[in-house]
């Protein structure tokens, strides 16, 4: 469950711009702020089932976008290579601040 | 005009997975293979106007995706930083093949 929450947080981060405002509200309350379905339903004056259906549909949409664009997958791969590169540079050229700053800038671009 | 063609080629590259098969066919014939609207119309047995409208709509969709996800913009920025990094490393640590290979691998991840 924790793993799914983390994945949804990432997918939401990458694709939220493609969602509707309502989808964004529900997802962000549920996954980022840890509200229960009941609490969201109360706040929006809709049924718990309506919130549940909306979130399930949004999750499916996010997975569909990831299947097509692979932004999360590429991000993970890039992060892994970036860490290898940083480790190597720190160990071998630890005194070269300029080199490390260039790599940091690249890393923070996401 | 050339600049627009280049931009559309890039946007198509980044977002083609979000288009329909017909949109992909028209765009790829028009922008990648340099077919005229008339030639595409003939091949698909539709009017020239229909092809034109479809391509215009697809271009607008691609720009809309770019406005939301900025994949092309981020790619350009990453490429620029990557080139700076490569230049620096080649000049200062030109003999370190392992370092250069790590950077190349990162670059080829796109």
């Amino acid at each position: 469950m924790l793993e799914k929450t983390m994945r949804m947080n990432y997918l939401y981060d990458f694709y939220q711009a493609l969602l509707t405002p309502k989808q964004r509200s529900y997802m962000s309350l549920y996954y980022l702020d840890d509200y229960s379905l009941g609490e969201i339903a109360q706040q929006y004056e809709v049924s718990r089932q309506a919130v549940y259906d909306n979130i399930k549909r949004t999750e499916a949409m996010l997975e569909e976008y990831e299947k097509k664009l692979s932004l999360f997958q590429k991000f993970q791969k890039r992060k892994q290579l970036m860490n290898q590169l940083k480790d190597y540079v720190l160990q071998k050229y630890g005194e070269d601040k300029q080199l490390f700053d260039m790599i940091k800038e690249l890393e923070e671009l996401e």
Side-chain angles (χ1 to χ4, degrees), chain A residues 19-20 26 28 30-32 41 53 69 71-72 74 81 84-85 89-90 95-96 99 101 107:
Chain A
L19 302 177
T20 67
Y26 287 5
S28 118
Y30 189 67
Y31 278 109
L32 277 61
D53 290 346
L69 297 177
L71 297 184
F72 179 41
K74 285 181 194 165
L81 292 176
Q84 278 174 19
L85 179 63
V89 163
L90 272 178
E95 78 295 346
D96 190 340
L99 177 58
D101 285 349
E107 189 180 24

Side-chain angles (χ1 to χ4, degrees), chain A residues 50-79:
Chain A
V51 175
Y52 177 81
D53 290 346
N54 188 295
I55 287 176
K56 285 293 138 192
R57 268 198 309 276
T58 308
E59 287 173 2
M61 275 180 69
L62 292 177
E63 290 291 358
E64 196 56 34
Y65 282 129
E66 174 63 11
K67 214 166 118 187
K68 289 177 175 168
L69 297 177
S70 309
L71 297 184
F72 179 41
Q73 193 194 324
K74 285 181 194 165
F75 164 80
Q76 285 178 304
K77 182 72 187 157
R78 196 178 297 125
K79 194 173 165 184

Side-chain angles (χ1 to χ4, degrees), chain A residues 85 89-90 93 96-104:
Chain A
L85 179 63
V89 163
L90 272 178
Y93 307 112
D96 190 340
K97 190 171 175 323
Q98 193 179 346
L99 177 58
F100 198 72
D101 285 349
M102 290 172 101
I103 295 172
K104 282 299 279 185

Side-chain angles (χ1 to χ4, degrees), chain A residues 2 5 7 11 13 15 18 23 26 39 46 48 54-55 59 73-74 84 86 91-92 96-98 100 103 105-106 110:
Chain A
L2 183 62
T5 300
R7 181 174 172 83
L11 294 186
D13 212 34
Y15 302 111
L18 302 176
Q23 286 176 317
Y26 287 5
E39 287 167 330
V46 294
R48 192 183 171 287
N54 188 295
I55 287 176
E59 287 173 2
Q73 193 194 324
K74 285 181 194 165
Q84 278 174 19
K86 278 195 303 183
Q91 200 190 328
K92 207 160 168 193
D96 190 340
K97 190 171 175 323
Q98 193 179 346
F100 198 72
I103 295 172
E105 197 182 351
L106 202 52
E110 285 305 333

Side-chain angles (χ1 to χ4, degrees), chain A residues 25-36:
Chain A
S25 301
Y26 287 5
M27 287 298 281
S28 118
L29 288 172
Y30 189 67
Y31 278 109
L32 277 61
D33 303 334
D34 207 26
Y35 277 46
S36 71

